[in-house]
Amino acid sequence: MPSRLDSGGPTYAARPSESTNGRPHTATDEREPVDLDRRPLTAPGNKHNISLIISQDDSDPDPPKRASRPQLLRSKSEYTVRREDSEQADEEIPEWGARHGFEDHYQSEDIISQLASNWYMYFTEKRHETTGQPESPNYAIEDWRMRDRLKTVSAALAVCLNIGVEPPDQLKTNPGAKLEAWQDPFVPPAAKALEAIGKSLQAQYENISLRTRYKQYLDPSVEETKRFCQSLRRNAKDERVLLHYNGHGVPKPTASGEIWVFNKTFTQYIPISLYDLQHWLQAPTIFVWDCSEAGNILNNYHRFVEKHEEEEEASAAADPNYEKTKYRSYLHLAACAVKENLPTNPRLPADLFTACLTTPIEMALWFFVLQNPLKTSITPERAKKLPGRLQERRTPLGELNWIFTAITDTIAWTSLPRQLFRKFFRQDLMVAALFRNFILAQRIMMVYGCHPQSYPELPDTHQHPLWESWDLAVDLALAQLPMMERKESEGIEYEYQSSTFFAEQLTAFEVYLARGDAMQQKPPEQLPVVLQVLLSQQHRVRALILLGKFLDLGPWAVHLALSIGIFPYVLKLLQSAAAELKPVMVFIWTRVLAVDVSCQPDLIKDSGYNYFASILNPSEALAVANSDEHKAMCAFVLSMLCKGYRPGQSVCNQSNIMTYCLVHLKNEENVLLRQWACLCISQLWQDLPEAKWRGIRESVPAKLFDLIRDQACEVRAAVIHAMTTFLGIPELTDEVARIEESIAWMLIDMANDGSPLVRKELLVFISHFVVRYENKFIVAAYEQLAEEREYLLFPPKDDGLEHKMGLHFTRPENRNSDGTIKASARGLSSDTVYAACWKHILILNVDPHPEVQRDATIIVDHVHNALLSSPVGIHAQTLMDEIQRRARRSRGHRKQPSTSRSGIMGTSASDMSPPEPSPSILKRTASLLFQLPSMWSGETATTTPPPSSGVARTSSQRLRPAGDWSAPLEQTDPTSASAHYHVADEPVSGRFKDRNLEERPSLPLPSTFLDWSIEYFREPQMHPSEAEEPGSTEYNERLWRRSRNENILRETQPQKHYAGSHKWNNQLCIMKNGAQPAKMNFHQYEDHLAVADDGNTVHIWDWKKQARLNRFSNGNPDGSKISDMTFINEDDTAFLMTGSSDGVLRIYRNYDQAKKTELASAWRALTHMVPSNVNSGMVFDWQQVTGNVLVAGDVRVIRVWAAAYETCVMDIPARSGSCVTSLTSDQMTGNIFVAGFGDGAVRVFDTRLRPQESMVKKWKDDSDRQWIRNVHMQRGGQRELLSASRNGKVKLWDIRMDSPLRVIQATRDTLRTASTHEHLPVFSVGTSAHIVKVFNFEGHELSRMEPYSSFLQQNRGAPISTTAFHPHRMVLGCAARGDQHINLFTCASEKPEAFLNAL
């Protein structure tokens, strides 16, 4: 058959080495055209294309020079043919070319750039660490909403001035402070002055809160005070009241806290005790005390509250019907402490404290001018008249007010505990304004010797650094005052220059986000400022973008933002139609809802959800590059609106959201959008029958089925989740049952999905399906038990015809002549979806992934419990007992296995014992049914039961020509001891929790997939991961590993010539493994050696230190073995992939760390496999460059699994009746792979072609039909392809040739194992005569060694069980059967210690 590959001439000829920046050249370096006169003898097109035995290679040592290429970005040893360092002399170390035409083929710019830029790690996704198990939140969802929101509804302004009369204990200076509420009380007419002060004070308070009802009480008497206090409480009911007390015209509060008012005739000062005041006002209250020694009031107030409470308790104890009066909660703001008098400075207002609390901007301007050390013509009075209105942010006064709010908010935010901040600054407008202004009072009054007091106490903030920003803003505003005055008086043109305060604060916030403070979760000071900036259209987009970046930091950032009060702002912005806000608003809402789903009612209010529904509309374009991702976020927001919230589901189902999602299911670009479109549908119709009927009308299930082969595991799992929530329409009509059955039929095949995440979700679906149709599953389970017993009573004489039996097993007399089951023998569940589901549940019951297996056992136990409780429970119990008894008996009288596979042929069918059910397949948390005594009459089962016949017979031992079975079986070696299983701990997945066997199994299983998917939006998306962040520990470790890898490559490349011509019998070390080594694999760069024994234990060694690092069980069942192992992701942090003869692949992370080893993934890569000790149970080849794993064995196909998608992407017909015994592939592009077969054939496949046409070359010598032990194509070096068959022949191939380049008779004994070095021109064979031989590619035997055997196990005739070369170094490992030692050899001439130390 002509080759379909590039047939250009190969470039084997040696070339002088050139180095680019100290790096050895690679196969991808640019080359000169090949001179055809110097083509090798064996090149295609040459007339001398003949096979040579022990032939020599013709290569010209002196070709023309070539231009060097720029250095590639990466060094990836698997892909490239390495060159030596330029320091080496040309004549000493010739350069090596490459076979198969690869060298020309891989000059393509596409391949070079792909290799340079693409480097993927596999099985490192979040799903591999968690298997869809959400993290238990490491944050508490705080209640940021202020449920106990209070309003200050009424206020009494009590002003005790008695103008003109000085109180006896207050000495007034002359001149002294006299302004009250910015009014001069001594401006005639005196009678009107008090009234003017009262009006002015009320106006100042109204600037703070207009909604509060104010009442002035000017120079009140005791009776009047009592009356207005009681009236305040009566009108306010349970809301807060304010009492403002100005005591400048009465004595100071007494030591016991009494305050003073007048008698009716103003002849006496009358004290009012705090006890009485509390009795009149009750709670909640806020007090403002503007008088000297106000601290006395605060010191005594709590004492009287406690006294009231004691009396209330006593009254309640005496009278059960007594309704207690509340005396808490109360707030106090007092002008000064005990023994402090109010300032009397004539340049200050007399009510300085009130001025700070009610007119903060005017007071701050006044204070700024008084404190300004520079000479200026501006007086406090002029400054106070800064133009503008407080409510208009574009005017000078309004802007300062806005800045002041931001600064005082920020000072409070950075100084107060979060709870207090929310209580004072977010609960009540009046309280927030007073406490904000109190911060200013602290600053101003401290300068004049007063220390304002508060309850609860606020920390001292008068030296907060933000006050400097405030002074700057005031200074800049006042600097423009003269021009603004001239504009007013003279009409000149002048435009006020706005402050840069907010722009600068946003820049500071941006700096914060870029620095480590954000990563350390240190709250940003600028957050309250960002909140204020959202009010401004000018800075809004920038502020929202920065806010989005902040929320992206994680749930802690979302909580901070919510607790500071961001929510009302972003809710209000949903009413904005501004297109530029849409992307960032979607992002912000996504982050908020991912952390706190309690915002659902807010989205329905004012139809806020329409904002997201309109963006989700496929016809709506967003002005961002990743609009699909934003649409996915909209689907997420709407999913969250519906999640467990019926009103949300109702409004969403009245819109076209479901229709939009259906369109997005077809979006091939964005995985997240497809995933959340499915999940949105799942939430739209969960527990909502009308939405499910709408889904039926719109053919939603059928459209979802288009995604069950989706490349993304998350999308496939989301489809199953949507189908799970679809189940359960209350009226179970025939139509509904038919639809639900068809859904089950469609999903059932996903039991073979490569992703544990998908299989777990499938079990959730099945558990709902079981609950829905429990009776039908009881019938299926009963008939399965009957079938199981039938299988044990009438075992099949030939398992090979089983494919004709359909789903069920039955004895021969119940079958028609064509093998189908007679109608009379069919059970009720025959050919139903329930029987099919039940068989799949039983298969998942022995799933290789512990979480899938655990969930399946819960379903099995639930159904068996229901079966035993049903009317047929007694019969089922009898069946179970009989099956258990017979299975135990068959295990007790087991015949010895035949000595070879061909032995099956020589045994008459009647003599063969029935195939033993493989009980060990049901290891792990085996079904509770077989462990709890309560479920069985009499005895407790101590052994695990046989699986259902459906499980035991998932594979067939097809009969083959005797030539197929010509491989000797290892277990028949006289020296082989029986393999040991489960002698070490078996690693489980990341968040695996074992099943509590005390709990009765209950269905349906809860799904964690939605909660796990939500976590995506809680994780930072805008920031590079830790490993990609320059300077991070992970990044530095990665750099170090890359540098180390480069050094190893540079160091080992010059060894080719030496290794191919020197002896390999220098013994490095001997390591006692503790178990029979059956497979070995060296890591490319780490000093790790993975060793598998002939059971299911993996041992990890540090071969340089000869220390065992770890040992764990691979979990494959008894009777099977580990067929193959390899390291993946070797350039960085490697994982270990193992394949066992039961068709299962497992991937382990942290494989070298005891107690930390975890299962990253596991799946049955080959179905229809029986656990066996035959070498070809399963073979696989991992391609790092494509992320594909090729799997083959005792089946008719070579299966290609894609690690990135965890699906089978291709089934390539093996084109042979024989089993595949070995696989190898071109590790540079992964396009070409080679398979060796049990009948001696070697076939070459090209994965770029259609599966049916992918076999591009077949080599088969009918005179040499010998089991191929090994085929291997080098990763580097000359890219030689070798095949070794058990008769000792090793052949070198070029995939463009029809016959071998060279045939080497490596041994006359049986060849048991063969290994080829990845880069050096050497290969080794292990023979049945206890000898390991090393050859070079020219066929010269370099060495022969006998592995060490211990004194007690002197068995010089034991065959070699395994050999392995280190991929780069001159190290060969080998071991013999019947011995536990690993032997390492090298061809280096140094002593072992010196060699190891030099590495």
Side-chain angles (χ1 to χ4, degrees):
M1 172 176 182
S3 170
R4 296 168 188 265
L5 299 162
D6 175 12
S7 57
T11 49
Y12 312 153
R15 295 196 170 89
S17 167
E18 290 179 13
S19 155
T20 312
N21 298 338
R23 176 187 63 86
H25 275 300
T26 69
T28 51
D29 291 332
E30 198 170 79
R31 304 188 177 282
E32 292 288 327
V34 179
D35 182 352
L36 288 179
D37 292 336
R38 287 186 291 101
R39 298 178 80 201
L41 190 66
T42 51
N46 282 8
K47 293 177 183 175
H48 312 290
N49 190 359
I50 54 173
S51 172
L52 297 180
I53 297 197
I54 319 298
S55 64
Q56 301 296 319
D57 202 8
D58 290 326
S59 56
D60 184 346
D62 197 19
K65 297 279 183 186
R66 57 191 166 155
S68 64
R69 294 190 55 77
Q71 180 176 1
L72 294 183
L73 298 180
R74 297 178 301 109
S75 139
K76 294 290 170 279
S77 67
E78 301 93 303
Y79 315 141
T80 54
V81 179
R82 300 286 165 193
R83 298 286 180 261
E84 306 82 61
D85 279 355
S86 57
E87 289 83 359
Q88 303 295 330
D90 295 348
E91 60 274 16
E92 274 183 31
I93 301 170
E95 192 158 325
W96 304 81
R99 294 275 184 219
H100 322 298
F102 284 171
E103 207 159 83
D104 291 336
H105 178 61
Y106 295 147
Q107 292 308 301
S108 123
E109 284 298 326
D110 287 347
I111 290 175
I112 292 173
S113 61
Q114 181 187 341
L115 288 174
S117 55
N118 294 347
W119 167 245
Y120 295 105
M121 300 274 284
Y122 296 98
F123 299 103
T124 56
E125 303 285 332
K126 185 185 165 193
R127 65 176 180 270
H128 300 118
E129 293 171 13
T130 62
T131 325
Q133 201 64 34
E135 218 173 346
S136 43
N138 53 0
Y139 56 87
I141 296 183
E142 296 175 30
D143 192 4
W144 46 270
R145 284 181 179 273
M146 304 307 302
R147 308 276 174 197
D148 53 342
R149 185 181 283 278
L150 287 170
K151 291 195 290 286
T152 305
V153 293
S154 305
L157 310 178
V159 181
C160 303
L161 285 180
N162 197 12
I163 297 169
V165 180
E166 296 294 323
D169 62 348
Q170 299 199 23
L171 297 171
K172 291 284 178 88
T173 58
N174 195 9
K178 56 182 181 181
L179 294 181
E180 300 277 356
W182 299 107
Q183 303 292 321
D184 186 344
F186 301 109
V187 171
K192 298 274 179 133
L194 186 59
E195 198 178 313
I197 289 167
K199 274 185 183 170
S200 179
L201 180 62
Q202 181 170 334
Q204 288 171 199
Y205 265 107
E206 282 169 349
N207 271 335
I208 294 176
S209 172
L210 255 178
R211 293 183 180 176
T212 307
R213 296 188 298 270
Y214 299 96
K215 195 80 186 287
Q216 304 162 32
Y217 296 98
L218 309 176
D219 292 346
S221 64
V222 175
E223 294 79 8
E224 193 181 3
T225 304
K226 178 179 179 180
R227 195 167 56 251
F228 76 66
C229 285
Q230 290 174 334
S231 156
L232 262 182
R233 174 48 60 206
R234 198 165 46 248
N235 294 335
K237 297 185 178 139
D238 292 329
E239 297 286 6
R240 186 181 278 119
V241 297
L242 164 72
L243 174 62
H244 175 98
Y245 174 77
N246 176 330
H248 297 176
V250 291
K252 303 169 191 174
T254 65
S256 59
E258 294 159 314
I259 57 170
W260 300 87
V261 289
F262 305 99
N263 64 358
K264 283 186 177 177
T265 56
F266 294 94
T267 55
Q268 281 180 308
Y269 300 112
I270 310 291
I272 296 177
S273 103
L274 289 177
Y275 180 86
D276 291 337
L277 194 64
Q278 289 167 1
H279 188 65
W280 302 335
L281 280 174
Q282 295 168 20
T285 44
I286 178 168
F287 298 94
V288 176
W289 306 109
D290 189 349
C291 55
S292 296
E293 298 200 25
N296 281 333
I297 301 168
L298 267 66
N299 287 356
N300 289 282
Y301 195 88
H302 319 298
R303 184 162 57 87
F304 290 114
V305 168
E306 285 162 12
K307 189 176 177 187
H308 272 299
E309 286 176 340
E310 284 168 15
E311 290 169 3
E312 291 298 305
E313 289 294 337
S315 302
D319 178 7
N321 299 321
Y322 180 78
E323 199 172 317
K324 289 186 195 173
T325 305
K326 287 183 193 166
Y327 289 101
R328 295 183 193 269
S329 70
Y330 47 86
L331 306 170
H332 291 268
L333 299 173
C336 54
V338 179
K339 296 185 179 174
E340 283 183 354
N341 287 316
L342 295 176
T344 55
N345 186 328
R347 304 196 66 189
L348 296 173
D351 62 346
L352 176 61
F353 186 59
T354 300
C356 288
L357 292 185
T358 56
T359 55
I361 307 303
E362 290 91 331
M363 192 59 238
L365 290 165
W366 189 285
F367 174 73
F368 179 82
V369 174
L370 291 182
Q371 293 295 306
N372 193 349
L374 304 173
K375 284 194 173 180
T376 170
S377 61
I378 297 175
T379 61
E381 288 79 10
R382 272 178 72 196
K384 182 176 172 285
K385 290 176 183 169
L386 188 74
R389 290 184 62 237
L390 286 173
Q391 286 75 23
E392 289 183 20
R393 286 191 294 275
R394 293 185 182 180
T395 63
L397 193 63
E399 185 180 66
L400 273 185
N401 188 42
W402 187 26
I403 293 171
F404 176 80
T405 304
I407 283 178
T408 47
D409 246 14
T410 305
I411 290 173
W413 162 254
T414 53
S415 309
L416 289 176
R418 299 280 172 263
Q419 206 60 39
L420 274 185
F421 173 82
R422 289 214 300 276
K423 187 174 179 182
F424 294 160
F425 292 84
R426 293 294 180 264
Q427 203 181 48
D428 175 351
L429 282 175
M430 170 72 89
V431 171
L434 289 176
F435 270 87
R436 207 179 282 125
N437 301 344
F438 178 80
I439 291 172
L440 175 72
Q442 275 186 330
R443 183 188 191 208
I444 292 177
M445 296 188 74
M446 291 253 187
V447 174
Y448 300 105
C450 284
H451 296 80
Q453 307 287 297
S454 70
Y455 179 80
E457 188 178 355
L458 262 64
D460 178 19
T461 58
H462 79 285
Q463 288 186 317
H464 197 284
L466 266 177
W467 283 122
E468 293 175 8
S469 299
W470 168 247
D471 288 341
L472 176 62
V474 172
D475 201 2
L476 291 172
L478 289 180
Q480 300 180 67
L481 182 60
M483 290 303 290
M484 287 189 285
E485 286 173 339
R486 282 183 62 197
K487 178 183 178 182
E488 194 68 33
S489 57
E490 303 170 24
I492 65 164
E493 283 291 319
Y494 181 74
E495 191 174 334
Y496 176 70
Q497 299 297 308
S498 296
S499 170
T500 56
F501 172 78
F502 288 108
E504 287 162 359
Q505 290 296 314
L506 286 181
T507 303
F509 190 43
E510 206 165 349
V511 170
Y512 161 85
L513 289 170
R515 283 178 41 194
D517 290 350
M519 293 300 125
Q520 290 168 1
Q521 302 193 5
K522 189 177 169 188
E525 289 185 2
Q526 299 80 15
L527 205 51
V529 180
V530 174
L531 192 68
Q532 291 296 323
V533 177
L534 293 180
L535 300 169
S536 147
Q537 217 160 345
Q538 182 188 354
H539 301 296
R540 185 175 290 156
V541 176
R542 186 184 175 202
L544 282 171
I545 288 169
L546 292 176
L547 177 62
K549 285 184 178 176
F550 175 65
L551 297 182
D552 186 54
L553 294 172
W556 69 274
V558 176
H559 280 310
L560 276 182
L562 289 174
S563 67
I564 205 169
I566 220 98
F567 187 74
Y569 293 77
V570 292
L571 184 63
K572 192 87 192 314
L573 285 172
L574 289 181
Q575 305 305 318
S576 162
E580 68 274 12
L581 294 184
K582 284 184 177 178
V584 67
M585 283 297 293
V586 168
F587 187 86
I588 287 169
W589 269 93
T590 299
R591 299 283 141 183
V592 169
L593 281 166
V595 172
D596 193 346
V597 80
S598 68
C599 312
Q600 291 163 318
D602 303 280
L603 278 175
I604 293 179
K605 212 187 299 175
D606 302 326
S607 301
Y609 70 94
N610 277 332
Y611 191 85
F612 305 101
S614 64
I615 297 172
L616 186 64
N617 188 336
S619 59
E620 173 83 5
L622 270 182
V624 282
N626 55 346
S627 65
D628 283 350
E629 199 150 323
H630 284 80
K631 287 183 187 290
M633 291 181 212
C634 288
F636 165 77
V637 168
L638 295 166
S639 304
M640 290 296 95
L641 172 59
C642 297
K643 186 180 179 231
Y645 186 59
R646 185 56 69 88
Q649 283 180 299
S650 301
V651 296
C652 288
N653 278 300
Q654 285 159 18
S655 66
N656 288 324
I657 292 169
M658 188 179 285
T659 312
Y660 298 160
C661 287
L662 287 178
V663 177
H664 292 310
L665 292 181
K666 296 173 184 165
N667 183 306
E668 292 179 7
E669 305 299 316
N670 196 286
V671 170
L672 198 65
L673 180 53
R674 296 199 301 278
Q675 178 187 347
W676 278 102
C678 292
L679 290 174
C680 187
I681 290 171
S682 80
Q683 295 309 296
L684 281 168
W685 65 23
Q686 183 158 21
D687 302 327
L688 198 67
E690 51 269 35
K692 293 177 184 178
W693 281 113
R694 175 181 177 173
I696 291 169
R697 286 193 298 276
E698 294 196 24
S699 308
V700 177
K703 289 171 183 171
L704 284 168
F705 286 142
D706 293 342
L707 295 180
I708 61 173
R709 293 281 175 270
D710 195 275
Q711 287 185 340
C713 307
E714 292 82 358
V715 175
R716 301 197 298 275
V719 168
I720 300 174
H721 186 82
M723 289 303 166
T724 306
T725 56
F726 176 82
L727 292 180
I729 294 175
E731 310 85 38
L732 186 49
T733 61
D734 288 346
E735 184 192 0
V736 171
R738 184 178 52 75
I739 291 168
E740 292 183 349
E741 281 185 18
S742 71
I743 289 172
W745 274 123
M746 290 298 290
L747 293 183
I748 202 162
D749 194 39
M750 298 181 86
N752 296 323
D753 196 284
S755 170
L757 179 74
V758 175
R759 300 199 301 278
K760 256 183 77 175
E761 202 55 33
L762 176 67
L763 281 171
V764 174
F765 169 84
I766 290 176
S767 70
H768 281 81
F769 195 60
V770 166
V771 170
R772 181 92 158 145
Y773 300 98
E774 192 171 271
N775 288 340
K776 300 199 173 181
F777 275 94
I778 288 172
V779 172
Y782 181 81
E783 291 186 351
Q784 173 67 35
L785 288 170
E787 182 185 338
E788 183 91 18
R789 186 186 61 169
E790 183 102 334
Y791 188 81
L792 290 169
L793 286 172
F794 306 97
K797 294 180 180 179
D798 170 23
D799 243 5
L801 298 174
E802 225 182 323
H803 61 282
K804 292 187 177 175
M805 296 184 203
L807 277 170
H808 297 279
F809 171 79
T810 185
R811 66 184 92 165
E813 52 265 37
N814 288 333
R815 290 211 295 265
N816 296 318
S817 56
D818 63 351
T820 55
I821 299 172
K822 291 178 181 173
S824 58
R826 288 175 180 273
L828 288 171
S829 66
S830 292
D831 301 335
T832 64
V833 72
Y834 310 105
C837 276
W838 184 241
K839 301 254 176 176
H840 278 81
I841 295 166
L842 292 173
I843 291 167
L844 290 168
N845 201 42
V846 291
D847 193 87
H849 197 280
E851 293 188 36
V852 179
Q853 198 263 345
R854 174 200 64 199
D855 290 354
T857 60
I858 293 172
I859 300 177
V860 169
D861 292 342
H862 175 89
V863 173
H864 278 156
N865 275 351
L867 172 61
L868 292 172
S869 311
S870 71
V872 294
I874 301 165
H875 304 296
Q877 185 73 65
T878 311
L879 278 174
M880 288 174 176
D881 292 344
E882 186 176 351
I883 289 165
Q884 187 114 12
R885 197 170 55 249
R886 286 183 176 278
R888 258 204 301 272
R889 193 183 309 151
S890 70
R891 280 199 294 275
H893 300 90
R894 184 182 179 190
K895 285 192 179 181
Q896 289 300 310
S898 57
T899 54
S900 71
R901 291 186 71 170
S902 53
I904 296 172
M905 301 296 295
T907 312
S908 72
S910 58
D911 291 338
M912 288 177 65
S913 60
E916 183 203 0
S918 174
S920 49
I921 295 183
L922 281 176
K923 279 286 192 270
R924 292 194 205 275
T925 64
S927 172
L928 204 127
L929 175 65
F930 300 110
Q931 291 183 11
L932 294 188
S934 60
M935 296 193 182
W936 293 86
S937 55
E939 58 180 320
T940 308
T942 52
T943 57
T944 326
S948 68
S949 54
V951 178
R953 296 175 293 106
T954 48
S955 56
S956 59
Q957 295 176 333
R958 289 187 296 283
L959 301 174
R960 290 201 174 80
D964 260 27
W965 310 114
S966 54
L969 292 176
E970 276 81 345
Q971 77 264 31
T972 62
D973 289 333
T975 51
S976 94
S978 59
H980 297 286
Y981 289 83
H982 313 292
V983 293
D985 290 339
E986 186 180 335
V988 292
S989 48
R991 293 183 186 164
F992 175 72
K993 288 196 183 90
D994 221 335
R995 181 179 162 194
N996 183 356
L997 295 178
E998 303 300 316
E999 287 178 11
R1000 192 174 176 81
S1002 66
L1003 296 188
L1005 296 170
S1007 171
T1008 57
F1009 179 70
L1010 179 63
D1011 291 333
W1012 178 80
S1013 299
I1014 292 168
E1015 281 185 351
Y1016 173 84
F1017 294 112
R1018 294 187 193 133
E1019 294 157 0
Q1021 305 299 332
M1022 294 187 188
H1023 300 268
S1025 66
E1026 189 70 7
E1028 292 162 359
E1029 194 75 73
S1032 70
T1033 307
E1034 281 184 51
Y1035 184 87
N1036 291 343
E1037 284 175 358
R1038 187 165 278 185
L1039 277 183
W1040 177 85
R1041 279 193 289 267
R1042 176 186 280 189
S1043 169
R1044 175 205 57 190
N1045 300 354
E1046 292 279 4
N1047 286 338
I1048 290 175
L1049 294 173
R1050 204 173 288 123
E1051 183 187 321
T1052 55
Q1053 290 312 306
Q1055 297 168 352
K1056 291 179 181 155
H1057 188 70
Y1058 184 91
S1061 56
H1062 287 71
K1063 289 188 178 299
W1064 279 74
N1065 55 4
N1066 183 358
Q1067 187 157 42
L1068 271 183
C1069 60
I1070 300 168
M1071 298 181 287
K1072 184 163 185 186
N1073 191 47
Q1076 164 73 63
K1079 290 283 174 192
M1080 281 198 290
N1081 209 291
F1082 285 92
H1083 190 294
Q1084 283 195 67
Y1085 305 110
E1086 303 284 354
D1087 303 326
H1088 295 163
L1089 171 63
V1091 181
D1093 66 11
D1094 49 359
N1096 64 4
T1097 311
V1098 177
H1099 306 254
I1100 307 294
W1101 286 84
D1102 181 322
W1103 59 267
K1104 208 183 276 185
K1105 295 178 182 168
Q1106 291 120 58
R1108 188 164 69 188
L1109 303 173
N1110 193 11
R1111 181 181 78 145
F1112 57 87
S1113 168
N1114 186 54
N1116 46 289
D1118 296 11
S1120 66
K1121 64 168 193 168
I1122 298 169
S1123 308
D1124 215 345
M1125 291 187 300
T1126 191
F1127 292 101
I1128 67 174
N1129 305 337
E1130 285 176 286
D1131 281 50
D1132 198 60
T1133 307
F1135 287 19
L1136 180 67
M1137 179 186 278
T1138 67
S1140 47
S1141 57
D1142 57 347
V1144 171
L1145 286 177
R1146 292 175 174 85
I1147 289 100
Y1148 298 98
R1149 76 169 69 82
N1150 307 329
Y1151 60 83
D1152 57 326
Q1153 299 173 48
K1155 307 293 182 194
K1156 289 189 179 176
T1157 309
E1158 287 180 353
L1159 186 70
S1161 189
W1163 75 100
R1164 205 172 292 281
L1166 285 183
T1167 46
H1168 312 304
M1169 292 282 293
V1170 155
S1172 80
N1173 264 325
V1174 177
N1175 199 34
S1176 75
M1178 178 172 81
V1179 291
F1180 73 84
D1181 188 54
W1182 166 253
Q1183 299 175 340
Q1184 185 73 43
V1185 68
T1186 59
N1188 287 345
V1189 57
L1190 310 168
V1191 188
D1194 208 358
V1195 287
R1196 295 291 174 99
V1197 295
I1198 297 164
R1199 194 158 279 176
V1200 183
W1201 287 87
Y1205 313 139
E1206 298 183 58
T1207 55
C1208 174
V1209 290
M1210 200 184 291
D1211 268 353
I1212 297 173
R1215 306 281 287 273
S1216 170
S1218 181
C1219 57
V1220 178
T1221 60
S1222 184
L1223 283 171
T1224 186
S1225 55
D1226 162 27
Q1227 291 287 343
M1228 187 166 173
T1229 61
N1231 296 329
I1232 305 295
F1233 74 88
V1234 182
F1237 290 82
D1239 61 0
V1242 177
R1243 290 176 171 83
V1244 182
F1245 298 85
D1246 189 335
T1247 55
R1248 292 166 296 188
L1249 302 174
R1250 288 176 55 238
Q1252 290 75 14
E1253 301 167 0
S1254 58
M1255 191 183 85
V1256 293
K1257 180 73 73 179
K1258 172 185 171 185
W1259 296 303
K1260 188 172 184 182
D1261 183 350
D1262 284 330
S1263 64
D1264 192 17
R1265 291 170 60 83
Q1266 291 287 330
W1267 184 284
I1268 298 289
R1269 271 292 175 195
N1270 183 262
V1271 290
H1272 190 83
M1273 182 184 286
Q1274 288 186 301
R1275 297 183 188 197
Q1278 208 167 336
R1279 311 299 303 279
E1280 290 286 9
L1281 171 62
L1282 283 80
S1283 70
S1285 48
R1286 70 174 287 261
N1287 62 359
K1289 282 186 183 172
V1290 176
K1291 300 176 183 178
L1292 276 72
W1293 304 93
D1294 187 303
I1295 60 175
R1296 297 163 298 175
M1297 309 288 188
D1298 293 328
S1299 53
L1301 302 172
R1302 185 171 290 125
V1303 179
I1304 301 163
Q1305 186 70 50
T1307 177
R1308 296 290 173 191
D1309 298 309
T1310 304
L1311 184 145
R1312 297 301 297 262
T1313 172
S1315 303
T1316 308
H1317 199 286
E1318 295 289 7
H1319 297 274
L1320 307 181
V1322 290
F1323 68 90
S1324 71
V1325 295
T1327 73
S1328 57
H1330 199 67
I1331 291 173
V1332 175
K1333 298 182 182 181
V1334 180
F1335 292 81
N1336 63 18
F1337 290 162
E1338 293 172 356
H1340 299 316
E1341 183 180 317
L1342 301 176
S1343 298
R1344 60 175 64 199
M1345 299 85 78
E1346 290 191 19
Y1348 165 84
S1349 293
S1350 66
F1351 177 73
L1352 295 174
Q1353 291 177 309
Q1354 286 292 341
N1355 192 336
R1356 303 298 293 274
I1360 302 300
S1361 61
T1362 177
T1363 55
F1365 279 106
H1366 189 285
H1368 299 296
R1369 301 196 181 279
M1370 298 187 292
V1371 175
L1372 168 66
C1374 57
R1377 289 207 68 77
D1379 189 78
Q1380 300 185 351
H1381 291 88
I1382 302 160
N1383 298 257
L1384 298 189
F1385 294 92
T1386 181
C1387 73
S1389 55
E1390 300 102 314
K1391 287 186 176 176
E1393 296 78 14
F1395 176 81
L1396 292 171
N1397 292 336
L1399 295 180

